[in-house]
Amino acid sequence: QVQLVESGGGSVQAGGSLRLSCAVIGYTYYIGYCMGWFRQAPGKEREGVAAIGSDHGVTYYADYVKGRFTISQDNAKNTLYLQMNSLKPDDTAMYYCAAASQGCGGIWYRANHGSSEWYYWGQGTQVTVSS
């Protein structure tokens, strides 16, 4: 059974950094054409944070994290990462990793990032940024 397991969340002060990891368990190779990070804060809709093509590594970012967050992957370890720098209180949310069945370029710019194309989701890891 394929599982996505996030880790690395925590509580930090504004301006701090965190590195989130998403381990793909139960499968040797990446399970989707596009791997991504999403987040959801209380009272707000889910937001797409970043995505990366599992094949060629092309990256996509939400405007509000460009220059601050970096998505990467280590195929040998079947692990997805999100390096978050210069964190702001507005970054406080539950962060989820997910795998999509289509290429990032075909879904990232759709409404809700083509939500129906994301087949696998992790359980989430909490990120809290205090001021």
Side-chain angles (χ1 to χ4, degrees):
Q1 184 78 284
V2 176
Q3 298 179 60
L4 303 181
V5 182
E6 302 97 333
S7 62
S11 182
V12 299
Q13 294 183 333
S17 299
L18 285 172
R19 182 178 174 86
L20 306 184
S21 298
C22 172
V24 180
I25 301 174
Y27 201 77
T28 303
Y29 307 102
Y30 262 93
I31 58 177
Y33 294 102
C34 183
M35 303 293 294
W37 288 96
F38 296 79
R39 70 186 189 187
Q40 186 167 25
K44 295 185 177 181
E45 295 185 346
R46 185 196 67 198
E47 302 174 322
V49 177
I52 185 169
S54 60
D55 188 6
H56 297 116
V58 178
T59 57
Y60 303 79
Y61 295 96
D63 288 341
Y64 54 83
V65 303
K66 287 182 178 178
R68 299 192 298 124
F69 292 7
T70 302
I71 187 171
S72 62
Q73 62 191 353
D74 186 336
N75 290 345
K77 297 181 178 180
N78 281 3
T79 302
L80 179 73
Y81 302 97
L82 184 68
Q83 178 67 47
M84 305 186 295
N85 298 326
S86 301
L87 284 162
K88 305 174 181 179
D90 285 348
D91 294 319
T92 296
M94 184 72 76
Y95 284 70
Y96 302 89
C97 66
S101 60
Q102 300 293 322
C104 295
I107 60 174
W108 187 250
Y109 298 109
R110 297 181 188 175
N112 299 121
H113 304 287
S115 61
S116 64
E117 303 300 329
W118 298 89
Y119 280 73
Y120 301 98
W121 293 83
Q123 84 290 345
T125 185
Q126 179 66 42
V127 171
T128 302
V129 184
S130 61
S131 59

